[in-house]
Amino acid sequence: MDTTIFETTESEVRSYCRSWPTVFSQASGSILTDEQGREYIDFFAGAGALNYGHNNPELRTELLEYLSSDALVHSMDKMTPAKREFLQTFKDIILEPRGLDYKVMFPGPTGTNTVEAALKLARKVTGRQHILSFTNAFHGMTLGSLSVTGNSMKRKGAGMTLTNSSKIPYDDYLDGETPDFLWLKRVLEDSGSGVDKPAAIIVETVQGEGGLNAARHEWLRGLRELTKEHDILLIVDDVQAGCGRTGSFFSFEEAGITPDIVCLSKSISGYGLPMALTLFSPELDVWAPGEHNGTFRGHNPAFVTATAALRRYWADDSFQNGHLVKVIEMVQDALTKIAIEVEGTSVKGRGLLTGLRFSDTDVAGKISAKAFEKGLLMETSGPEDEVIKLMPALNIDLVVLERGLNILADCVSEVTG
Ligand code: PMP
């Protein structure tokens, strides 16, 4: 194959094309096939947008029926049966059983749109401008979400980012050297800190792009208490960790906290269609009609597949307490085994937002490249790309999963051995 096309005609902006120099032409569940007929096991799942695999047959049936029925595809803010059904299903299956009372907003097609809406809402509600976020956080590529992103490499050249945002250390960023929240408490209690009282703190429970750092549940509970005590809104960005990836529908459920605002996107449509939600406590609804708008916020085909995914996977506990537990167990066991055997390696993350960190920062990239050669797709994560990241579909077939985990183990021993 002529691979120069991957070097010469593709933009520098996205790198997956360079890491995986082939043309993928078919996809089914957790298997991708390229134009040469070569199969790849997918431990990438559209960067978390395909939690139920590619071309999920049950969701596809609903989608095709909808598309062939002359129902509205694009409707902007108009109500449609597809939108009404999604809202009702989300309330019945997700919010009410968890005792959550949120208003639902469609902020635009993708993850960064929900983060922008959350930041804007928090500022409007509190009348304060400052936003706190964390070291190594990732929240998106538009200027507001980029401002609260921790990795300065991502902000390179984006001179217009917000000046009234600051980063504070994420859980264990200082390797336990500093007592929990010491700096945050000083900021909130001490007017001499130089940091204005924030409108909100935005946090990921597991930092998906920032190296799979998983905050301890006690730490998240402490953050919730502190924000409440100081009348600051807590935004959980569940764009990557949500929709079941850490083992429960919302990642923050496991810590037993209720954020004021929640950002969801990636796998909420269930089928890889663009869709995002911003959830917020009813008392925060200060939007004037039409104040926050956008052409593609709330798209009917995405509502259809989202509703089907909620009904298929979340209507009761059988998927969460059955297949999902088994997949998490197999992945975590495989990673733990490698970490015990290979010096300088540690298991990162939680649930299926997980991976391995290598003390030698060159190793993860080499493993990802070797995995591609052997038919396995995995990306890297972390400020120095020092972490190999596993994000298989939640419903991955267990035989396929085992094959992928064996390839991973082989690649690690070949690269580090
Ligand atoms: N927040 C988090 C936690 C993310 O992981 C991402 C995407 N990786 C985003 C926001 C931005 O989402 P999008 O790329 O869809 O704009």
Side-chain angles (χ1 to χ4, degrees), residues 15-42:
S15 59
Y16 300 133
C17 190
R18 282 163 178 264
S19 322
W20 298 328
T22 191
V23 180
F24 297 103
S25 54
Q26 299 263 287
S28 173
S30 293
I31 304 284
L32 278 121
T33 310
D34 71 11
E35 280 183 333
Q36 277 65 46
R38 196 160 178 252
E39 289 191 347
Y40 300 82
I41 295 173
D42 186 10

Side-chain angles (χ1 to χ4, degrees), residues 326-368:
K326 183 74 196 153
V327 174
I328 292 175
E329 199 180 282
M330 281 173 68
V331 168
Q332 291 298 328
D333 284 354
L335 294 182
T336 306
K337 189 161 174 267
I338 295 173
I340 291 168
E341 283 166 6
V342 182
E343 221 190 295
T345 310
S346 53
V347 180
K348 299 283 292 181
R350 181 172 291 135
L352 297 181
L353 185 49
T354 190
L356 288 170
R357 182 177 188 281
F358 297 89
S359 46
D360 175 347
T361 51
D362 289 340
V363 167
K366 286 184 187 157
I367 290 171
S368 174

